[in-house]
Amino acid sequence: MELCVCESLQKEEQKITIGLDKRKWGRAMTILNFGDIKGVNLKKICKKAKQFCASGGTVKDNTIEIQGDHRKNLKKFLQSVGYAEENIEII
């Protein structure tokens, strides 16, 4: 019986950028860009991130969009989920 550590290794190496985008009527939208990823369930991460920020959001392509300015909160959230701090960049 083998144990797969692929997911934890992928989290440590994954580069994530967190940015802010202005939408219609000046509303803020926090964008998490995961770049080229394979094997990561973005819908599951999005659901947990929305609960953490108490906000709405969606998954589009390789990005997660959360309503409002939650850049600092999402960095803390990603660290608690297991992503390395040095690989998370706030733009």
Side-chain angles (χ1 to χ4, degrees):
M1 187 166 130
E2 291 184 31
L3 296 175
C4 182
V5 292
C6 303
E7 189 173 326
S8 63
L9 288 175
Q10 190 173 16
K11 283 184 179 181
E12 293 173 3
E13 297 172 358
Q14 180 68 45
K15 296 279 186 190
I16 302 170
T17 57
I18 303 174
L20 190 67
D21 191 16
K22 293 284 183 177
R23 296 293 168 99
K24 196 189 290 188
W25 294 294
R27 295 182 184 209
M29 181 75 81
T30 306
I31 310 292
L32 283 85
N33 187 359
F34 285 81
D36 294 330
I37 59 166
K38 294 178 183 171
V40 175
N41 191 347
L42 289 182
K43 288 185 179 182
K44 187 184 292 184
I45 295 171
C46 182
K47 183 176 180 178
K48 290 180 182 178
K50 291 189 302 185
Q51 290 173 349
F52 187 82
C53 295
S55 183
T58 188
V59 175
K60 291 186 179 177
D61 298 325
N62 285 337
T63 62
I64 295 176
E65 300 179 356
I66 304 290
Q67 296 173 357
D69 185 1
H70 298 286
R71 290 175 287 186
K72 293 179 182 176
N73 288 340
L74 287 173
K75 184 172 182 177
K76 291 177 189 176
F77 166 73
L78 290 171
Q79 290 171 354
S80 70
V81 173
Y83 290 95
E85 180 179 1
E86 58 271 2
N87 292 338
I88 303 171
E89 180 184 0
I90 296 179
I91 299 175

